[in-house]
Amino acid sequence: MLCQDKFLEIYKKSPEHLAFCPYRICPLGAHSDHNLGKITGFAIDKGIHIAYRPKQNGIVELCSLQFDKRAQWHIHEVPRTKEGDWADYLRGATLKLTEKYRISKGISGVIEGSLPIGGLSSSAAVVLVFLKALCDVNEISPTPTELIMMSVKAENEYVGVSSGKLDQSCEMYARKDHMLYLDTKDDTYELIPANPSMKPYKIAIFFSGVERTLAGSKFNMRVDELRSAAYALAAYAGMEYGKFQETNMRDIPREVYDKYKDRLPDNWHKRAEHWMSEYDRVQKGAEAWRRGDIEEYGRLSFESGWSSIYNWETGSPELKALYDIMTHTEGIYGGRFSGAGFKGCCMALIDPAYQESIVRNVSEEYLKAFPELKGKYMVHVCDSADGLI
Ligand code: GLA
């Protein structure tokens, strides 16, 4: 069922507006953003739709085709603590919007997400599309950067996930057939077009069949471990440092890392090694993409996947198996866990000429290892797309 049909069924009238925000993939640049690194990413042609109408009384009333529970709050009376359901992200976003802008109207809306949840950043997409709807009915136009920051703060401060701005930036700025190359330290970015000499590609998403939430994963602990490494390195080197939460791996020069890394506890060393090596890979990958070398970009994405498993130490058995299968499947340029690496899915850049055999071979091998996931595991092949703006 489409969100506009559900809207009609519930409210007995058609929605006034429809909006869409795409999901994202990040072949290179995983776990860089929360410590102010660089990322590369794309938006894909699947995402979140919302059908909505303004509500003059300031109430937000939402339902989602993917979740049972309907959610309702007043724009000026958002509960201060989260309720533990899918709409927490949107309550947090309402708070962040009303902290900056005077608004009076709410919305009634139906949300529809395509594809299973986990790994494509549906949370950022739902927040961005909701903020867009709420801003539209209130006739305000925050800048893209403001919308990104409201969404990030809703996740960090309301939901409690120490994420960065990778997801929102891809979903906002991306352009079809371009690669977003963003420096999260100063928000400068480039949209690098696919070089005409580049081999054709499509984006395959392999859903493990296991869904997840970041709030319940080790996501925050990994970020803290990395930040602890940065703090310790700054201290070893006699650098000036400030508050722990405001210290980032990006502050640590490469020479300092190389000189003192062996003093770090093993776990912190590995997190820092992931971050530093990913920083290098992102830069190499951006240049490979620029010159049309999708094979090199893909190879680097496979390396990034390896580092996520062995240095960042994430990945469920299902995701690791998918990653392994992808590395030896003909026609896949490269790929890795999509997103944080706690359940969810893997993404791959593939040569369209091999699409059928890739889907067949990966599925057969995966379901042989996890027969109980038959019916839950699925593959989707898609294209890059424009972001929200
Ligand atoms: C999640 C977070 C992002 C980023 C990725 C890992 O998607 O929301 O900010 O840290 O994981 O790269």
Side-chain angles (χ1 to χ4, degrees):
M1 183 179 240
L2 299 174
C3 54
Q4 53 269 44
D5 297 337
K6 186 75 182 171
F7 192 100
L8 185 63
E9 184 187 299
I10 299 175
Y11 296 102
K12 312 289 175 245
K13 52 187 173 186
S14 300
E16 276 179 25
H17 311 276
L18 284 174
F20 171 75
C21 181
Y23 298 145
R24 67 93 188 89
I25 55 154
C26 171
L28 265 182
H31 291 293
S32 296
D33 59 345
H34 39 64
N35 272 253
L36 305 187
K38 297 183 180 181
I39 63 105
T40 68
F42 303 79
I44 60 170
D45 57 8
K46 291 282 167 209
I48 303 272
H49 292 271
I50 184 172
Y52 63 99
R53 269 180 177 266
K55 271 182 91 70
Q56 306 300 330
N57 61 3
I59 301 272
V60 171
E61 187 177 272
L62 295 171
C63 77
S64 156
L65 297 185
Q66 275 64 48
F67 299 95
D68 290 337
K69 205 172 143 197
R70 270 165 95 160
Q72 201 189 54
W73 60 92
H74 190 279
I75 49 168
H76 298 307
E77 282 161 32
V78 177
R80 292 285 140 174
T81 50
K82 55 181 182 171
E83 298 197 358
D85 65 16
W86 64 275
D88 276 338
Y89 288 88
L90 309 181
R91 294 187 188 95
T94 310
L95 263 185
K96 294 300 152 197
L97 181 66
T98 50
E99 274 168 22
K100 280 200 96 171
Y101 285 88
R102 223 180 243 264
I103 59 170
S104 62
K105 293 178 197 161
I107 55 168
S108 47
V110 178
I111 291 167
E112 176 195 338
S114 33
L115 306 184
I117 291 175
L120 298 173
S121 200
S122 52
S123 51
V126 78
V127 169
L128 291 175
V129 85
F130 166 74
L131 281 174
K132 182 176 165 15
L134 205 49
C135 291
D136 282 355
V137 300
N138 284 286
E139 291 171 28
I140 54 169
S141 316
T143 62
T145 313
E146 279 180 299
L147 288 173
I148 289 172
M149 286 322 295
M150 283 174 204
S151 168
V152 173
K153 284 191 175 155
E155 270 197 48
N156 292 169
E157 294 166 20
Y158 194 83
V159 181
V161 181
S162 312
S163 46
K165 52 187 140 180
L166 154 70
D167 307 336
Q168 293 82 0
S169 304
C170 292
E171 292 173 355
M172 183 70 90
Y173 297 135
R175 279 282 154 275
K176 185 172 170 53
D177 282 330
H178 289 64
M179 188 192 74
L180 175 72
Y181 180 29
L182 169 83
D183 188 339
T184 63
K185 186 173 180 185
D186 58 12
D187 290 337
T188 49
Y189 69 90
E190 244 187 291
L191 285 161
I192 311 179
N195 188 310
S197 72
M198 197 161 93
K199 285 192 171 171
Y201 72 98
K202 279 197 169 273
I203 297 160
I205 314 281
F206 301 99
F207 293 96
S208 64
V210 189
E211 297 192 355
R212 68 87 177 86
T213 63
L214 282 186
S217 71
K218 286 189 180 154
F219 186 94
N220 289 356
M221 195 211 281
R222 290 285 179 272
V223 177
D224 287 344
E225 288 165 338
L226 178 65
R227 193 156 276 133
S228 303
Y231 213 59
L233 288 164
Y236 292 149
M239 290 166 59
E240 256 189 50
Y241 53 83
K243 290 185 186 155
F244 177 76
Q245 282 306 336
E246 288 162 17
T247 304
N248 291 293
M249 196 44 93
R250 186 68 181 270
D251 305 330
I252 308 300
R254 189 69 196 220
E255 315 77 75
V256 168
Y257 174 65
D258 288 337
K259 188 160 173 198
Y260 297 103
K261 64 185 179 191
D262 293 333
R263 284 207 210 169
L264 292 170
D266 200 35
N267 286 348
W268 298 3
H269 185 170
K270 285 187 194 157
R271 311 308 173 241
E273 180 59 28
H274 171 77
W275 194 94
M276 285 290 179
S277 60
E278 193 74 356
Y279 189 78
D280 294 344
R281 280 188 290 272
V282 166
Q283 298 185 95
K284 281 191 207 151
E287 292 324 309
W289 178 271
R290 201 189 299 282
R291 55 172 197 274
D293 190 349
I294 194 163
E295 274 142 339
E296 172 67 359
Y297 183 73
R299 196 189 59 73
L300 289 161
S301 179
F302 272 148
E303 264 186 41
S304 166
W306 186 94
S307 179
S308 283
I309 296 173
Y310 297 100
N311 290 326
W312 200 254
E313 292 189 296
T314 48
S316 57
E318 296 85 358
L319 279 183
K320 288 187 204 168
L322 268 178
Y323 169 81
D324 277 344
I325 296 168
M326 283 172 17
T327 57
H328 62 244
T329 301
E330 197 180 3
I332 297 188
Y333 298 123
R336 46 159 293 119
F337 309 154
S338 185
F342 300 95
K343 308 182 197 128
C345 61
C346 282
M347 54 72 41
L349 296 173
I350 65 165
D351 181 340
Y354 291 82
Q355 180 170 331
E356 260 181 46
S357 63
I358 290 171
V359 170
R360 193 181 52 246
N361 294 342
V362 174
S363 305
E364 266 176 27
E365 210 179 322
Y366 182 70
L367 289 173
K368 209 167 164 194
F370 299 97
E372 69 282 9
L373 291 173
K374 196 161 187 215
K376 289 188 172 166
Y377 159 85
M378 76 176 245
V379 190
H380 186 82
V381 178
C382 53
D383 287 307
S384 68
D386 289 343
L388 186 67
I389 51 161

